[in-house]
Amino acid sequence: MDTTTPPNARMDSGLAALDAAVRRDLEIIRYPRKEWVPPMERDGQRVLDVAIIGAGQGGLATAFALKRNNITNVRIFDRAAKGGEGPWVTFARMITLRTPKYVTGPDLGVPSLTPRSWYEAQHGAEAWEKLDKIPRGQWQDYLDWYRDILKLPVANDHDFQGVTWEDGLLRLTFRRPDGSTHVHYARKLVLATGIEGCGSWHVPDFIRDGLPRARYAHTSEDIDFAALKGKRIGVLGAGASAFDNAATALEEGAGSVTLCLRRKEIPSINPYRWMENTGFLAYYPALSDDLRWGFMRRIFELNQPPPQDTFWRCRRHENFSFRTGCPWTGARMDGDEIVVDSPTGEMRFDFVIIGTGFTTDLSRRPETKSFASSVALWGDRYTAPAGAESAVLESYPYLGENYQFLPRRADDALAPMLANIHNFTFSATPSMGLSGASISGMRFGVERLARGLGRDLYVADGRQHLESLLAYDVPELVSLDPPVA
């Protein structure tokens, strides 16, 4: 290892070399090289072939996949400022990713674009070998580099307000930070808005109704942990994010943290590790409804447990405790104290953090509420056998093979619109398996989505492509004379 060159200079030179390698690799595999989607205009502006909502990992990777397929009239919109897309530097509070470091995804099989190549370019192969998991801040840095090196067309500070169907096109409305609104037309819309992309974060009603807003927060929210120093903190939830927030509060000096969960045991089996096989990741969507329901019922039942290092991050603190079989049944204020009721007795806190996940409900999202009532859900299309019912799974959208929403009724006037809106959020999971909101399944999901988008566009323009062929008259043979010596 070079010890004479300053570390920052080594990192810069390593990234410069990697940038050159990426450009060379993409040039080598760039075939075919022609753009092929016929242009379209509406009201004097170019109609986007694909609009993507969300510039996190799923949205960026989808744009790259389309670019490789020579679909370049694409734009990604995100309400966040540049660098603030996704959860990694906003509300994610784990130290590292939960996935293995060797996971690939956004690279779509291009070795020089992998997280490993990016990391080694800056820190060396030896550092990679010593690395356990990728720190979440570095994952965001990787995504920022990925966006820049691929020159992906991201429009930040665009808050998506909704979509309507107008003469065969999707009319998208956005609000800018200055309050102005902008309209864009698109043929295809991809929703890549992450975990809560088809619903909202869930806070139990008894918390909302019983406590002042300043005395509780959901794990997805901005929390001033420094202000909780010395305080008694209650955390509700059994998943990894509940433990991440408990650990953060402890590390910031909370007086005590008590984590409560309804289950009699803390979840310990991570179904994601089982799902990380090519068979499931690539072919799950082809299974029957019975089998998909069976898979998802078990996966949702297991939940995602805290990784061992996350649990130890909490357990190393003497002022941490957890209570199993301890659901919260009510909450109220007693003077300046929060009183939480549970079957195991009364508890008192100064602040509570809610880690109860999210609710799938299309009517709660601005991007889906205009057509929510028309969308087919699993509960509309499938009846579970006795003993295998799940109200949670029934609330998820039942998607077509290209991630498109399907209508509840075939004669719904919005059926053509739904066929052009593709759901690449976590709520696609029961229909499609791991995909946009999961690093583990990203490569398989992105490639499936991009193929479907391209196929739909080509079929819709089939007549124009035939006319293009019939008009094609570029000669290959241009001389019948003998060759010049």
Side-chain angles (χ1 to χ4, degrees):
M1 179 178 177
D2 177 9
T3 58
T4 60
T5 305
N8 287 344
R10 287 198 301 271
M11 292 170 64
D12 290 344
S13 63
L15 275 180
L18 180 62
D19 290 352
V22 169
R23 287 189 286 268
R24 182 176 187 275
D25 288 346
L26 295 180
E27 177 63 23
I28 288 172
I29 62 175
R30 192 164 70 93
Y31 174 82
R33 299 193 169 201
K34 299 177 184 176
E35 294 190 17
W36 54 271
V37 183
M40 185 182 297
E41 287 194 357
R42 171 68 60 86
D43 294 343
Q45 65 169 276
R46 177 85 180 269
V47 174
L48 293 169
D49 294 325
V50 183
I52 301 170
I53 307 300
Q57 58 197 23
L60 294 177
T62 299
F64 175 47
L66 292 169
K67 188 175 183 178
R68 287 188 65 181
N69 290 340
N70 295 304
I71 302 172
T72 59
N73 180 31
V74 174
R75 190 171 301 169
I76 314 167
F77 299 93
D78 200 289
R79 65 186 175 191
K82 184 176 182 180
E85 308 88 352
W88 307 112
V89 295
T90 52
F91 64 84
R93 297 185 174 105
M94 71 282 277
I95 300 296
T96 67
L97 301 186
R98 300 184 183 115
T99 45
K101 68 178 181 181
Y102 51 77
V103 69
T104 59
D107 52 272
L108 302 185
V110 180
S112 57
L113 274 174
T114 59
R116 176 175 180 172
S117 292
W118 175 83
Y119 189 91
E120 288 186 350
Q122 300 169 89
H123 307 289
E126 183 179 350
W128 172 262
E129 291 302 321
K130 293 179 179 178
L131 184 69
D132 179 26
K133 296 176 182 175
I134 300 173
R136 63 174 172 87
Q138 290 191 328
W139 182 253
Q140 181 64 52
D141 292 342
Y142 163 71
L143 293 175
D144 291 343
W145 167 80
Y146 174 93
R147 162 184 171 169
D148 290 342
I149 188 63
L150 296 175
K151 299 180 180 179
L152 298 177
V154 180
N156 287 99
D157 300 309
H158 279 69
D159 191 3
F160 185 43
Q161 300 296 296
V163 56
T164 55
W165 188 240
E166 190 174 288
D167 297 328
L169 291 176
L170 299 163
R171 186 181 189 273
L172 316 177
T173 303
F174 298 88
R175 184 178 297 279
R176 301 300 308 282
D178 62 5
S180 62
T181 58
H182 293 253
V183 170
H184 292 272
Y185 289 94
R187 300 180 64 184
K188 289 284 185 180
L189 176 64
V190 173
L191 302 179
T193 45
I195 293 290
E196 84 285 15
C198 278
S200 61
W201 297 108
H202 175 61
V203 174
D205 288 341
F206 66 83
I207 296 289
R208 292 185 187 277
D209 297 339
L211 300 180
R213 188 63 185 88
R215 302 301 289 272
Y216 71 88
H218 192 277
T219 55
S220 66
E221 295 179 312
D222 184 24
I223 301 176
D224 183 2
F225 285 96
L228 303 181
K229 186 174 182 178
K231 305 290 187 181
R232 298 165 297 171
I233 310 302
V235 179
L236 178 63
S241 63
F243 282 86
D244 289 332
N245 280 262
T248 303
L250 290 161
E251 291 161 358
E252 292 289 333
S256 66
V257 173
T258 303
L259 186 147
C260 302
L261 56 150
R262 171 179 47 82
R263 299 176 185 231
K264 297 187 182 302
E265 296 181 352
I266 296 176
S268 61
I269 299 170
N270 189 346
Y272 280 76
R273 299 294 84 84
W274 180 91
M275 288 186 278
E276 289 168 343
N277 67 81
T278 302
F280 181 86
L281 295 175
Y283 308 121
Y284 166 86
L287 296 175
S288 67
D289 287 356
D290 280 330
L291 285 174
R292 287 190 291 176
W293 185 271
F295 271 101
M296 287 299 146
R297 189 167 181 272
R298 177 57 173 163
I299 288 166
F300 279 45
E301 179 182 74
L302 288 172
N303 200 2
Q304 187 174 20
Q308 186 64 64
D309 54 358
T310 300
F311 182 78
W312 281 337
R313 189 180 162 203
C314 294
R315 201 70 176 88
R316 67 168 51 97
H317 296 270
E318 292 184 358
N319 53 344
F320 170 72
S321 62
F322 62 90
R323 299 186 183 186
T324 57
C326 184
W328 292 2
T329 57
R332 65 187 187 280
M333 296 300 297
D334 181 11
D336 197 42
E337 291 185 310
I338 298 170
V339 180
V340 169
D341 299 319
S342 81
T344 64
E346 183 181 279
M347 294 170 285
R348 291 177 177 260
F349 303 113
D350 300 308
F351 190 84
V352 293
I353 298 174
I354 310 303
T356 48
F358 56 92
T359 299
T360 301
D361 183 346
L362 299 174
S363 68
R364 298 190 181 189
R365 300 290 301 187
E367 57 264 43
T368 55
K369 67 180 180 181
S370 68
F371 56 84
S373 61
S374 295
V375 172
L377 307 179
W378 269 85
D380 299 318
R381 296 296 183 93
Y382 179 76
T383 301
E389 299 91 346
S390 170
V392 172
L393 284 177
E394 287 180 355
S395 69
Y396 278 70
Y398 185 97
L399 303 178
E401 63 177 351
N402 298 329
Y403 293 86
Q404 77 273 26
F405 289 111
L406 298 176
R408 273 198 171 105
R409 302 179 311 278
D411 61 350
D412 193 304
L414 292 184
M417 173 182 173
L418 298 180
N420 289 291
I421 303 178
H422 302 257
N423 176 23
F424 207 50
T425 73
F426 181 83
S427 68
T429 305
S431 295
M432 310 304 292
L434 294 181
S435 50
S438 166
I439 300 172
S440 302
M442 187 184 304
R443 176 168 67 88
F444 299 89
V446 164
E447 290 175 348
R448 184 183 301 115
L449 173 62
R451 282 196 304 272
L453 291 167
R455 181 168 61 247
D456 284 356
L457 290 170
Y458 194 81
V459 169
D461 297 331
R463 173 61 59 183
Q464 288 177 263
H465 292 300
L466 174 58
E467 292 171 355
S468 173
L469 170 62
L470 296 174
Y472 183 73
D473 60 359
V474 179
E476 180 100 352
L477 179 65
V478 296
S479 174
L480 300 180
D481 296 329
V484 178

